[in-house]
Amino acid sequence: MLISCGDALIDFVPTRNADGREAVMPAVGGSCLNVAIGMARLGAPTGFVGGISTDMFGRMIADHATASNVELALATCSDHQTTLAFVRIVAGESHYAFYDAETATRNWTYRRGSIPFANVEALHVGSTTLVNDQGAAETKALIADARTSSTISFDPNCRPNLVKDKPAYLARMAEFASTADLIKMSDVDFSYLFGDEPYHERASALLGQGTSLVVITRGSNGAIAWHAGAGQIEVAAPRIDVADTIGAGDSFQAALLFALHKQTRLARQRLKDIGADELRRALSFAANCAGLTCTRPGADPPWSHEMGWS
């Protein structure tokens, strides 16, 4: 099984009403839930770990995840309200306003011993859950239990408007990166975390500390990956008509993990030994899945029948 742990929320995505005025439409989202949905839709056995509310929006989240074949037995249900995020598209980038105080996601706690990690091929973590102290501490405990047998995937998916203490946040992201076998980040995330440092220098440092694969996505400019054995690999993004970019990075992440799983290259040692051709194929598949997601509004990753893996 593949597991994604973290945020589950409702995005209010921009649209227009019948009079042409700005409006918003609720859509299930949350980076880590999106990753779980993306992996499950492509056909991987997938579970979600995190807090889901029993309120109206929480029921929307649960129904959406279940309809996408995500296993929710490991999620924690509570009567805390659902996190809400309002989205605006500025210069092609999604900008968010979060309402996340005392929510089900913020109050999630890891139940030690509740997950049979011997049966978990990979654990994905990241995003807004790691901004607050409790979410970060609970995720660290989860990773500590998982690392003995599961590959750790990490996407910081930075949300600067939630960060109150940037130096502390940067230190926290570095700590999570040090535990990860696979790190994916967008070029925007990279700039927030590392400024103008050249991509290859940071990738080399991350590989040197034990990470097997580092990937940076660059929107319409495609993605670049670094691997200790396979070297540097660059793949193009498909040419598409963009509806919005919400969930594109999550779709890329989900598809990359799925492709590595299908190639039997997701286990830690198998990932270390992956060849350049296999890695390129996995990255290209991920880029195409992200591209399809951008052709429709909201975080709506593709299904296996739309992006068949053969």
Side-chain angles (χ1 to χ4, degrees), residues 21 69 137 144 174 204 206 211 236 239 257 263 267 272 277 282 295 305:
R21 292 182 294 178
N69 302 318
S204 179
L206 292 169
T211 299
R239 294 188 176 185
L257 292 170
Q263 292 172 314
K272 287 181 181 294
D277 290 343
T295 66
H305 69 270

Side-chain angles (χ1 to χ4, degrees), residues 227-233 272 274-277 279:
H227 184 273
Q232 179 178 324
I233 294 175
K272 287 181 181 294
I274 193 171
D277 290 343
L279 183 54

Side-chain angles (χ1 to χ4, degrees), residues 13 23-24 59 61 75 85 109 141-142 169-170 183-184 193 229 241 246 250 272 286 297:
V13 299
V24 292
R59 291 193 295 273
I61 290 169
T109 57
L142 177 72
Y169 176 77
L170 295 181
I183 299 171
K184 192 277 292 181
L193 295 173
D241 293 324
I246 299 170
D250 305 326
K272 287 181 181 294

Side-chain angles (χ1 to χ4, degrees), residues 190-246:
F190 188 96
S191 294
Y192 183 70
L193 295 173
F194 306 114
D196 295 329
E197 181 178 356
Y199 291 155
H200 70 275
E201 289 185 7
R202 177 53 53 174
S204 179
L206 292 169
L207 294 177
Q209 72 183 19
T211 299
S212 293
L213 178 61
V214 178
V215 183
I216 297 175
T217 57
R218 303 172 300 157
S220 60
N221 292 318
I224 310 177
W226 291 263
H227 184 273
Q232 179 178 324
I233 294 175
E234 184 171 352
V235 297
R239 294 188 176 185
I240 55 167
D241 293 324
V242 176
D244 66 44
T245 60
I246 299 170

Side-chain angles (χ1 to χ4, degrees), residues 61-107:
I61 290 169
D63 290 346
H64 182 68
T66 300
S68 296
N69 302 318
V70 175
E71 173 59 60
L72 294 180
L74 300 176
T76 302
C77 295
S78 73
D79 59 3
H80 296 287
Q81 67 185 11
T82 299
T83 300
L84 306 180
F86 289 80
V87 188
R88 294 203 78 185
I89 309 299
V90 180
E93 289 288 338
S94 301
H95 293 254
Y96 295 83
F98 289 93
Y99 295 81
D100 192 33
E102 298 301 317
T103 61
T105 292
R106 286 288 290 268
N107 285 279

Side-chain angles (χ1 to χ4, degrees), residues 26-51:
V28 174
S31 176
C32 293
L33 181 67
N34 291 340
V35 171
I37 287 172
M39 293 188 297
R41 286 185 175 185
L42 290 171
T46 304
F48 174 76
V49 175

